[in-house]
Amino acid sequence: MVLKGTVRRFLEKQKDKITAVVFCTISSTDTEIYKRLLPLYFPRDKQEEEMASLKLPADVGDENGEPIIDERKIRIKTLPAEAANSKYAVPVPADIPLSGSGLTRRRNSKLDSYLDPSFMSIIKDPDLRRKEQWEKSAQAKKGFNFAKLLGFGDLGGPALSAAEEYSLHQRYLAKANSLNLSEIAEMKIIYRGGVDSEGRPIMVVVGAHFLLRCLDLERFILYVIKEFEPLIQKPYSIVYFHSAASLQVQPDLGFMKRLQQMLGRKHQRNLQAIYVLHPTLGLRTAILALQLLVDGDVWKKVVYVDRLMQLFRYVPREQLTIPDFVFQHDLEVNGGKGIIVDPRTKHVYQRPSG
């Protein structure tokens, strides 16, 4: 249906060039609607003019009669290199906090776990954020990458805002849901467990199953995002079996940083603990680097566990599906101290003292 306000604005500007306007309708219902509304936009006498002033809203659009929708504004602007150094350059405004926007938010830890920060904050203009991100990336490339020199991978990329991480997560999640990733699932690198002692759902990660040479990392990332999505909506925990994983080539810190960004901030906020079984010195060093270089808040949630019996204090045995080699590795490393493992049922018993 033609916007009558647009026609009115057009005629005001072209009144000397237009002799007639014909509205073509396809049904008698449409015709009746036009008959009732046209007098509001084209009053023929004083009475219809007074009626229009009462019936029409105060905001009737822009100078062309079109509705004003901020999201549809197209921003096209050149960014000359010298503009950034110009003394007349307008400073970029900082992000406005939620408290300064006239809104109030009640603190509720249970509710917070379901909220995404990208919807709870006022963000900058997309062009300004993209320009800042480009500048940070260019600056990082110019600098000396000590992390890459030490073998930790590329950690020099710019940090993403909450909105950018949310957008990145949604794009990858949509792609993951559209693909068949059954070959990744069959590798049993990650799979759902039960719940820990606090009743939180668990995701199990098996380091020895991460065969980097045989794995498509892009598809693996998509599978991780898809499998974690139901868990990250509320508090959850991770159990990581590092048993015999030192025999395999592991991903670097740059990969871990990228994966963490794609999982989004809801993952970071709702992750309560990472239980690491059979940690090695190399793994402890890598996690320390993650705390210092990637995200201290997330990686300080790591709990090191040397024996299976210690792990069962945090996660009941019946809540975990444990690969056979993990039991064998535990016996080899700890010499069976304190436990007896039934090789047929894999049931774990406490070794009697004395």
Side-chain angles (χ1 to χ4, degrees):
M1 185 177 292
V2 177
L3 294 174
K4 290 159 285 296
T6 304
V7 177
R8 172 60 188 259
R9 295 297 187 205
F10 180 79
L11 289 177
E12 289 174 354
K13 296 180 179 181
Q14 308 289 338
K15 57 184 178 181
D16 297 331
K17 300 178 181 179
I18 305 297
T19 57
V21 176
V22 179
F23 292 97
C24 299
T25 59
I26 60 175
S27 67
S28 58
T29 302
D30 289 347
T31 303
E32 292 301 318
I33 292 175
Y34 270 82
K35 286 181 178 180
R36 290 199 302 269
L37 293 180
L38 282 174
L40 299 178
Y41 293 90
F42 303 95
R44 294 163 293 186
D45 52 39
K46 192 68 175 177
Q47 183 179 0
E48 289 183 351
E49 185 177 351
E50 292 176 355
M51 184 63 66
S53 64
L54 295 175
K55 296 291 185 180
L56 290 178
D59 181 10
V60 291
D62 58 15
E63 60 179 4
N64 296 317
E66 298 286 348
I68 300 175
I69 302 175
D70 291 336
E71 289 79 2
R72 293 183 180 179
K73 291 182 179 178
I74 301 175
R75 296 172 298 277
I76 302 176
K77 182 179 179 181
T78 59
L79 294 173
E82 62 273 10
N85 300 323
S86 173
K87 63 180 181 179
Y88 300 105
V90 179
V92 179
D95 283 339
I96 303 175
L98 180 64
S99 58
S101 63
L103 302 176
T104 57
R105 177 183 173 189
R106 295 181 179 179
R107 297 299 300 172
N108 187 319
S109 57
K110 185 176 181 181
L111 178 62
D112 286 348
S113 64
Y114 294 93
L115 300 177
D116 193 280
S118 61
F119 291 107
M120 302 299 293
S121 61
I122 300 176
I123 61 175
K124 299 179 185 178
D125 178 89
D127 291 337
L128 293 177
R129 288 190 290 108
R130 183 62 60 86
K131 179 175 178 288
E132 288 180 355
Q133 185 177 352
W134 178 84
E135 290 174 347
K136 290 179 182 178
S137 179
Q139 185 177 3
K141 290 180 180 179
K142 290 180 181 178
F144 192 73
N145 197 332
F146 287 98
K148 198 167 185 178
L149 179 65
L150 295 173
F152 291 147
D154 186 6
L155 298 175
L160 301 181
S161 67
E164 288 167 338
E165 285 192 7
Y166 177 81
S167 176
L168 183 67
H169 173 77
Q170 291 300 313
R171 290 201 308 270
Y172 270 78
L173 179 61
K175 185 176 181 180
N177 288 330
S178 67
L179 297 176
N180 179 7
L181 302 170
S182 58
E183 81 281 3
I184 307 294
E186 291 172 358
M187 298 180 73
K188 295 291 183 182
I189 302 173
I190 66 170
Y191 53 87
R192 287 288 301 271
V195 295
D196 62 13
S197 57
E198 301 293 330
R200 300 181 294 242
I202 296 170
M203 182 65 77
V204 179
V205 183
V206 184
H209 289 173
F210 190 90
L211 305 176
L212 190 58
R213 296 184 182 89
C214 308
L215 191 62
D216 184 331
L217 281 181
E218 190 70 17
R219 290 178 65 81
F220 174 70
I221 288 175
L222 292 171
Y223 180 74
V224 170
I225 293 172
K226 183 177 181 179
E227 289 299 301
F228 269 81
E229 183 64 17
L231 267 71
I232 65 177
Q233 306 304 320
K234 56 185 179 180
Y236 75 102
S237 301
I238 294 175
V239 173
Y240 172 58
F241 295 135
H242 194 60
S243 318
S246 58
L247 302 176
Q248 303 293 341
V249 179
Q250 299 298 308
D252 58 33
L253 271 61
F255 171 83
M256 297 302 297
K257 177 182 179 180
R258 181 185 174 211
L259 179 60
Q260 186 168 308
Q261 287 178 335
M262 292 179 181
L263 285 173
R265 302 199 178 187
K266 194 175 290 185
H267 145 74
Q268 302 168 27
R269 186 171 61 252
N270 288 334
L271 177 60
Q272 303 300 306
I274 306 174
Y275 301 109
V276 177
L277 178 65
H278 300 144
T280 60
L281 178 60
L283 179 64
R284 291 174 185 266
T285 303
I287 290 178
L288 177 61
L290 286 168
Q291 293 175 358
L292 297 175
L293 303 175
V294 177
D295 191 328
D297 293 336
V298 168
W299 294 102
K300 285 180 180 178
K301 298 176 183 179
V302 170
V303 178
Y304 294 113
V305 183
D306 295 320
R307 298 182 176 88
L308 272 171
M309 288 305 297
Q310 293 177 353
L311 176 63
F312 298 153
R313 297 173 187 172
Y314 302 104
V315 184
R317 168 67 184 91
E318 62 274 11
Q319 299 296 327
L320 288 171
T321 301
I322 304 175
D324 293 349
F325 71 87
V326 175
F327 288 96
Q328 184 63 32
H329 184 85
D330 192 77
L331 290 172
E332 292 174 356
V333 172
N334 299 311
K337 296 177 182 177
I339 64 170
I340 299 175
V341 181
D342 185 333
R344 182 177 60 84
T345 64
K346 299 299 182 294
H347 191 77
V348 180
Y349 303 91
Q350 190 74 34
R351 184 185 296 274
S353 59

